[in-house]
Amino acid sequence: MQNNFITNLLDLKGVKVTKFRNRKNRIRIHIELPIKEHTCPCCHSKTSKVHNYRFQLIKDIPIYYKDTFLYYRKRRYVCCNCNKRFYEKKVHCQ
């Protein structure tokens, strides 16, 4: 229930909130996208094999006068055909 509230508050459609931390002077929200099939930018074959994960820190607008940070756990996929590694499509926020 809390994850749905946070997702709606930040208008992040299709994003999974994995952790929420409300500290004295900042808010930390950990997010990730669901795993799905992606097209390789090199050979255009389809893959859903995850190579590894990286964190990207995104500073968002303050909530309740507290600095708000999104910790985006982005995936790197690997193509089974040409072995190229590439990031998933990014979150598009409005």
Side-chain angles (χ1 to χ4, degrees), residues 33 36 38 56 72 74 87-93:
L33 292 173
K36 64 179 186 178
H38 280 73
Q56 180 177 353
Y72 173 39
K74 60 183 179 178
Y87 284 105
E88 65 188 340
K89 292 183 181 176
K90 295 186 179 194
V91 178
H92 296 287
C93 305

Side-chain angles (χ1 to χ4, degrees), residues 41-52:
C42 189
C43 70
H44 304 290
S45 61
K46 303 281 186 181
T47 184
S48 57
K49 186 175 179 183
V50 177
H51 176 65
N52 63 9

Side-chain angles (χ1 to χ4, degrees), residues 55-70:
F55 277 99
Q56 180 177 353
L57 179 64
I58 303 167
K59 185 170 182 173
D60 205 352
I61 60 172
I63 298 175
Y64 300 117
Y65 304 106
K66 295 181 181 182
D67 290 333
T68 303
F69 296 95
L70 301 175

Side-chain angles (χ1 to χ4, degrees), residues 3-12 20 27 29 63-64:
N3 290 347
N4 289 336
F5 172 75
I6 295 166
T7 303
N8 291 335
L9 176 70
L10 298 176
D11 195 25
L12 296 172
F20 179 83
I27 295 174
I29 304 168
I63 298 175
Y64 300 117

